[in-house]
Amino acid sequence: MRAEPGSSVTLPCRPAENKTVRYVAWTRTDLKDGMYAILYRDPHVNPDDTCGSFKNRVNLKDVTNRDASLILTNVTAADTGTYECIVKWEGDQSDSKIISIIGLKVKPDQRTIRVKYGETVTLPCTAPRREELDVAEWSRADLESDQYVILFSGNRVNDDSQSPSFKDRVKLQDVKNGSASLILRMATPEDSGTYECRVVQGGNSCKKRSILDTDLLSIITLIVDQGESDCFWIRTSSSFLVLM
């Protein structure tokens, strides 16, 4: 299943048995054991078992009528993965059963932005939840491997890892509310290129340690047009004088 960034998706899970559903667990294969996208124990969902990155974004479609499909809102590339729906019925003494296995692919927000020389531009990058980011990084392929456009971690911008060409010209929009959008001042043609935004939000710690990493959310191609000089022509007695 494929989805666009910012959209809502429904991952189907409707057991064939005509019995009351007592337990539903939606998990993803890269989550730690005991962590869930959502966990339902009749008669309610237990929010304490929901991985932080899914909080306030998930619901079950109609579990009282045996439809355990997962509704996931405001999806981002960080939601990509293989989801499993595990169900147990009333009176069933056997173990719970996997009813659905759904692969979800959400591509990063990808766009091209064109600005004029000297303008201020914002490159968008927003995490799934309006909560503080642990890590936010903007990179560009042509920079040195240990340099970033900007790197935020440990509640501060890491100046030592920033490319000199971006010093004092960039900042992040609102990391406390989940926005890693990059504000770039005084754009020049040398700023043209492909920028990538990666983040870690608190809930991402639900991932297994071996695969915990930043999530690629945005790929932005920036084009900065070459500025034109203003020319003034003054006619003298026998020629033209050009003032730049």
Side-chain angles (χ1 to χ4, degrees):
M1 178 181 294
R2 294 182 178 271
E4 295 293 323
S7 65
S8 297
V9 297
T10 299
L11 308 186
C13 180
R14 190 175 180 93
E17 286 82 351
N18 189 20
K19 299 178 182 178
T20 301
V21 174
R22 293 302 187 198
Y23 173 91
V24 178
W26 273 98
T27 187
R28 200 174 66 199
T29 54
D30 62 344
L31 299 182
K32 294 177 183 177
D33 293 340
M35 297 307 301
Y36 303 93
I38 195 169
L39 179 64
Y40 170 86
R41 287 191 177 96
D42 189 34
H44 55 74
V45 169
N46 187 346
D48 293 337
D49 291 311
T50 296
C51 175
S53 62
F54 293 102
K55 286 187 182 295
N56 303 316
R57 297 198 299 129
V58 291
N59 209 343
L60 296 177
K61 189 169 184 179
D62 191 2
V63 69
T64 57
N65 288 314
R66 304 187 306 283
D67 190 342
S69 300
L70 177 69
I71 300 172
L72 175 60
T73 63
N74 191 28
V75 299
T76 71
D79 294 316
T80 294
T82 301
Y83 292 75
E84 296 180 347
C85 176
I86 304 167
V87 174
K88 192 167 185 176
W89 296 270
E90 182 179 39
D92 192 345
Q93 300 303 314
S94 62
D95 293 337
S96 51
K97 299 177 181 178
I98 297 178
I99 302 302
S100 293
I101 300 176
I102 309 292
L104 176 64
K105 175 68 174 178
V106 185
K107 66 181 182 181
D109 182 13
Q110 194 163 357
R111 64 182 80 181
T112 298
I113 296 177
R114 192 177 199 115
V115 297
K116 295 179 180 179
Y117 182 97
E119 289 186 340
T120 295
V121 60
T122 299
L123 310 187
C125 180
T126 303
R129 295 175 293 118
R130 293 181 60 83
E131 296 182 13
E132 189 166 6
L133 299 174
D134 293 339
V135 177
E137 62 183 49
W138 278 93
S139 60
R140 206 173 72 185
D142 58 349
L143 297 180
E144 298 292 335
S145 59
D146 60 345
Q147 290 186 342
Y148 297 87
V149 177
I150 194 169
L151 173 63
F152 173 87
S153 64
N155 292 316
R156 67 179 184 88
V157 172
N158 189 331
D159 293 328
D160 295 337
S161 64
Q162 188 173 45
S163 169
S165 62
F166 293 103
K167 284 189 181 295
D168 302 320
R169 293 199 301 130
V170 293
K171 66 178 182 178
L172 298 175
Q173 192 169 58
D174 191 4
V175 293
K176 291 188 178 297
N177 288 303
S179 175
S181 295
L182 179 73
I183 300 173
L184 170 63
R185 298 187 302 106
M186 296 296 296
T188 71
E190 289 72 25
D191 294 324
S192 296
T194 300
Y195 294 72
E196 294 184 349
C197 172
R198 291 175 168 85
V199 305
V200 172
Q201 203 166 18
N204 290 11
S205 60
C206 295
K207 288 185 178 180
K208 297 173 184 175
R209 182 173 299 274
S210 60
I211 53 178
L212 178 62
D213 201 356
T214 52
D215 291 310
L216 174 61
L217 297 188
S218 294
I219 302 174
I220 309 295
T221 299
L222 177 64
I223 301 172
V224 183
D225 293 330
Q226 179 70 50
E228 296 182 0
S229 300
D230 292 327
C231 299
F232 299 93
W233 296 78
I234 300 177
R235 184 168 185 173
T236 65
S237 58
S238 60
S239 63
F240 287 92
L241 176 64
V242 181
L243 299 180
M244 307 294 289

